[in-house]
Amino acid sequence: MLLNLHVKNIALIDEADVSLGDGLNILTGETGAGKSILIDAVNLALGVKTARGLLRESDEPASVELLFSVSDREKEKALENLGVTVEEDGSVLITRKVSGKKSICRINDETVTVSKLRAVTALLIDIHGQHEHQSLLHKAKHLEILDAYAKKKECEIKKRLSEAYHVFAAAKKELSSYEMGEEERAREMDFLAYEIQELEQAELKEGEIPELEIRHKRMAGGERIMECLSRAMEYAGSESGAGDFLSRTVRELSAAVPYDESLSELLSQAEEAEGLVNDLCRAFSQYASEIEFDDRELSLLENRLDTLHGLQVKYGETYEAMMESLESRLEKLARLEDFDERKRAAGEACEKAREEAYRLAGELSRIRKEEALHLTKSIQEALVDLNFLEVQFSIKFAELSQVGPQGYDEIEFLISTNPGEEMKPLSQVASGGEMSRIMLAIKAVLADSDDIETLIFDEIDAGISGRTAQKVSEKLNDIGRSHQVICITHLPQIAAMADSHYKIEKTVKGGRTVTEVTRLKDDEEIGELCRLLGGAAITEAVEKNAREMKELAKNRK
């Protein structure tokens, strides 16, 4: 359940804090007062892309906070599976701040990605926007609705079907790899044999390439190395070199120490330096005696490196990559050499996987058809409750040409809203107002099997009035008995049914227009109903009518 909505620096809203209640929460206000801004703000917190014009051109970030209460253990487990821990008091805090192109999402003060935010909030709240009913024009949405209704019975079989389908898809891909003629197969075998021979004859060794590159670099720079080494030996070891000067230094300090013992430390350092230079000179000599620069060896080394570098370009930069390429080609060649037998086995495996996928798809289809009968009856009853008095509703099944991870069913909702008319697809029959009511009927039916506790309806009353409006209000009230419902409306029949009523209005503060949200008390509710009923002129008759509507609504509850 959504306990609190906090909005700051969004469009006309400086700051709004709305504490919501159980049952049916109604929001009303004049056209343009900012009712849709609240829905946009909630959508923002749910991870929806920011609507144009929603953010202000200021340095202060826009922010939305949604505080939920979670009491259902199954819901807690579902959230835990997404890495969200419900607080000890049962709360989950969703926060999103947007500044410029930057967006920061948090769940219980832990920063999360937008995708995780969407996954989590999808378990907590469902929004029916002004144009969502248009999705009913698409068949894919119809199957989605049926599966949502039957999800508990379908869950296990859909999981098994998805796994079986992916096995089938992999088997089809494997079988397709054998679709080649004898001539093409021969060419492929010759080419693979050539590449295998090229890799095997190279006698690759792990670590060989970097080792050879180091040797090549040293040999190619041999002349320069000897020039530098010769000068270094001269500077360190000649009669006028560093070693000679350090030897003289030691002698002079040795002569001075008898007169001042404090020079002993300096003498020790000079002797150590002399020893280091002598060691360095011996190392120079050792290196010079061992190093050999053979032009023939350099040529052989360069040829080997050229071969290895060529193989790197063709088969992979590293030893491991080239060995994997060799293994892959050996496997492909073996498969082509045993082509007919392997193709037969792949065909048998593909057919077996296909049969299993279709068997499970058939089982899923059977469940869907059984549940479709119940869903049809429930939706038709809900439509009658919404003033479709002579309505006929059915679900038509068709089979797709290929099985998929969701089975092979294609379904379509058919409806007849007038006596004597044949049932037709929704897109050919229903008007905008009717589509809105049809979606409400579906939501009402799904609510009984849906564990999402909070439902938001934005302008569900579009295109209706009179008795139909009264029926819609009663249906919203029915849903509100088991769910928290938040509804934006302009109709008094729906507003009168509110368990909690909020007024959204524009005011001028500090020379600028702002939107404010206020929870109404009993008399204030009557006043708002009067406005919805009578507009500018609020007469005694209008007020009496408003009080009667509120009283009737209380009796209906």
Side-chain angles (χ1 to χ4, degrees):
M1 171 176 152
L2 180 59
L3 298 177
N4 185 266
L5 163 64
H6 187 84
V7 180
K8 190 172 182 180
N9 297 322
I10 289 186
L12 296 176
I13 300 176
D14 280 340
E15 188 166 11
D17 194 83
V18 184
S19 294
L20 296 154
D22 297 333
L24 182 57
N25 295 264
I26 294 294
L27 288 80
T28 58
E30 293 282 4
T31 301
K35 299 188 295 296
S36 62
I37 295 174
L38 279 180
I39 300 300
D40 289 339
V42 172
N43 273 315
L44 183 68
L46 304 185
V48 175
K49 187 177 179 181
T50 309
R52 182 179 297 179
L54 193 63
L55 302 182
R56 297 179 175 183
E57 294 181 3
S58 67
D59 295 332
E60 292 189 58
S63 67
V64 185
E65 289 183 358
L66 303 178
L67 179 63
F68 290 93
S69 172
V70 178
S71 57
D72 181 67
R73 182 56 192 151
E74 290 300 316
K75 183 63 61 65
E76 282 190 36
K77 287 182 179 178
L79 290 170
E80 287 170 2
N81 290 336
L82 293 174
V84 175
T85 302
V86 177
E87 299 292 325
E88 289 184 3
D89 61 356
S91 65
V92 175
L93 179 64
I94 306 293
T95 306
R96 190 177 184 196
K97 287 187 178 181
V98 181
S99 180
K101 294 184 179 179
K102 294 182 179 178
S103 170
I104 300 175
C105 308
R106 290 190 176 93
I107 300 177
N108 290 341
D109 293 328
E110 178 184 348
T111 303
V112 299
T113 62
V114 173
S115 60
K116 181 171 179 177
L117 182 75
R118 290 172 183 161
V120 169
T121 55
L123 296 173
L124 301 172
I125 190 168
D126 178 28
I127 293 186
H128 174 74
Q130 295 183 41
H131 306 295
E132 187 189 345
H133 60 264
Q134 295 298 322
S135 64
L136 285 176
L137 301 178
H138 306 292
K139 294 179 184 179
K141 182 67 175 180
H142 302 174
L143 184 61
E144 181 184 321
I145 290 168
L146 174 57
D147 284 349
Y149 178 77
K151 63 182 178 181
K152 291 181 180 178
K153 292 189 176 180
E154 291 181 4
C155 181
E156 182 60 30
I157 191 68
K158 286 186 77 173
K159 180 181 177 182
R160 288 165 56 199
L161 171 59
S162 178
E163 292 170 353
Y165 172 77
H166 286 102
V167 171
F168 175 42
K172 280 201 300 183
K173 184 177 180 181
E174 171 71 12
L175 182 59
S176 68
S177 67
Y178 291 97
E179 293 176 358
M180 61 172 63
E182 196 62 37
E183 192 174 314
E184 182 185 356
R185 174 187 165 200
R187 284 198 304 269
E188 180 72 8
M189 290 177 65
D190 287 343
F191 186 62
L192 286 169
Y194 165 77
E195 290 187 320
I196 291 167
Q197 183 181 31
E198 186 177 37
L199 283 164
E200 289 181 336
Q201 285 183 346
E203 296 181 345
L204 299 171
K205 300 180 184 67
E206 189 172 3
E208 180 184 14
I209 294 176
E211 181 185 334
L212 292 181
E213 287 174 339
I214 292 171
R215 285 179 57 197
H216 178 265
K217 186 177 182 180
R218 186 170 67 243
M219 293 181 71
E223 187 176 338
R224 176 63 175 160
I225 290 173
M226 291 306 298
E227 289 175 1
C228 294
L229 186 62
S230 177
R231 286 196 292 270
M233 291 173 67
E234 183 180 349
Y235 295 147
S238 67
E239 289 186 4
S240 58
D244 183 53
F245 281 108
L246 281 169
S247 179
R248 295 178 192 178
T249 300
V250 169
R251 285 198 301 272
E252 295 299 332
L253 285 173
S254 296
V257 165
Y259 301 99
D260 187 352
E261 286 295 328
S262 66
L263 292 173
S264 296
E265 179 64 27
L266 294 177
L267 174 61
S268 176
Q269 291 179 24
E271 288 173 339
E272 185 177 350
E274 181 186 25
L276 286 173
V277 171
N278 290 336
D279 290 343
L280 186 61
C281 290
R282 284 192 292 272
F284 287 160
S285 298
Q286 181 72 22
Y287 183 91
S289 66
E290 292 178 355
I291 193 169
E292 293 183 6
F293 297 107
D294 187 332
D295 289 341
R296 180 175 177 278
E297 183 182 354
L298 177 61
S299 177
L300 291 172
L301 191 151
E302 287 177 340
N303 289 338
R304 177 61 174 170
L305 277 175
D306 285 343
T307 298
L308 294 175
H309 287 156
L311 294 175
Q312 280 183 306
V313 172
K314 292 174 68 175
Y315 304 113
E317 284 294 316
T318 65
Y319 167 82
E320 290 78 13
M322 287 189 282
M323 293 308 294
E324 285 177 10
S325 293
L326 175 59
E327 289 300 318
S328 172
R329 282 157 176 78
L330 286 168
E331 289 176 7
K332 288 180 181 178
L333 183 60
R335 189 168 66 176
L336 291 174
E337 287 174 341
D338 198 16
F339 186 83
D340 292 334
E341 178 58 28
R342 288 174 179 262
K343 182 177 181 180
R344 183 193 62 76
E348 289 178 356
C350 184
E351 179 59 24
K352 183 179 179 181
R354 189 194 74 83
E355 289 176 356
E356 178 63 7
Y358 268 92
R359 185 188 69 79
L360 292 170
E363 192 172 336
L364 174 60
S365 182
R366 179 187 59 77
I367 295 172
R368 280 174 172 158
K369 287 171 181 174
E370 289 177 356
E371 292 301 299
L373 295 175
H374 302 302
L375 179 60
T376 297
K377 181 180 179 182
S378 297
I379 290 178
Q380 182 153 331
E381 289 173 352
L383 289 170
V384 171
D385 290 343
L386 290 169
N387 213 34
F388 284 97
L389 300 181
E390 301 292 337
V391 70
Q392 293 293 318
F393 182 86
S394 70
I395 299 177
K396 175 185 175 183
F397 276 77
E399 188 172 320
L400 297 170
S401 58
Q402 293 289 335
V403 71
Q406 300 298 318
Y408 53 61
D409 289 319
E410 180 182 63
I411 73 166
E412 186 171 22
F413 291 166
L414 304 179
I415 193 169
S416 169
T417 57
N418 297 304
E421 289 185 354
E422 64 175 333
M423 286 193 288
K424 296 178 182 178
L426 289 179
S427 58
Q428 300 178 23
V429 177
S431 64
E434 288 175 328
M435 290 295 282
S436 181
R437 278 188 287 157
I438 293 168
M439 178 58 88
L440 177 58
I442 291 170
K443 291 279 186 179
V445 172
L446 293 181
D448 293 334
S449 59
D450 200 344
D451 57 1
I452 297 177
E453 190 170 353
T454 299
L455 305 174
I456 296 182
F457 294 98
D458 182 15
E459 302 288 0
I460 195 68
D461 53 15
I464 64 172
S465 60
R467 177 171 173 77
T468 299
Q470 181 62 35
K471 290 290 188 178
V472 168
S473 73
E474 292 172 1
K475 182 58 66 177
L476 288 169
N477 178 66
D478 291 343
I479 300 174
R481 289 173 179 165
S482 57
H483 292 68
Q484 180 190 41
V485 178
I486 301 167
C487 180
I488 291 178
T489 186
H490 64 276
L491 292 180
Q493 294 95 326
I494 294 176
M497 197 65 74
D499 293 307
S500 301
H501 192 157
Y502 303 83
K503 184 177 182 181
I504 304 171
E505 57 186 339
K506 285 196 293 189
T507 60
V508 178
K509 286 189 175 181
R512 65 184 303 271
T513 302
V514 297
T515 291
E516 294 183 337
V517 184
T518 308
R519 182 168 182 170
L520 302 180
K521 298 177 182 178
D522 290 347
D523 288 342
E524 292 171 329
E525 285 187 51
I526 298 300
E528 180 64 3
L529 287 178
C530 288
R531 184 190 66 79
L532 294 172
L533 283 165
I538 307 300
T539 65
E540 288 184 11
V542 170
E543 183 176 345
K544 180 181 178 183
N545 191 7
R547 292 187 182 280
E548 286 180 353
M549 289 185 72
K550 192 64 182 175
E551 189 62 32
L552 287 171
K554 287 181 179 178
N555 293 335
R556 174 63 172 76
K557 287 180 176 292

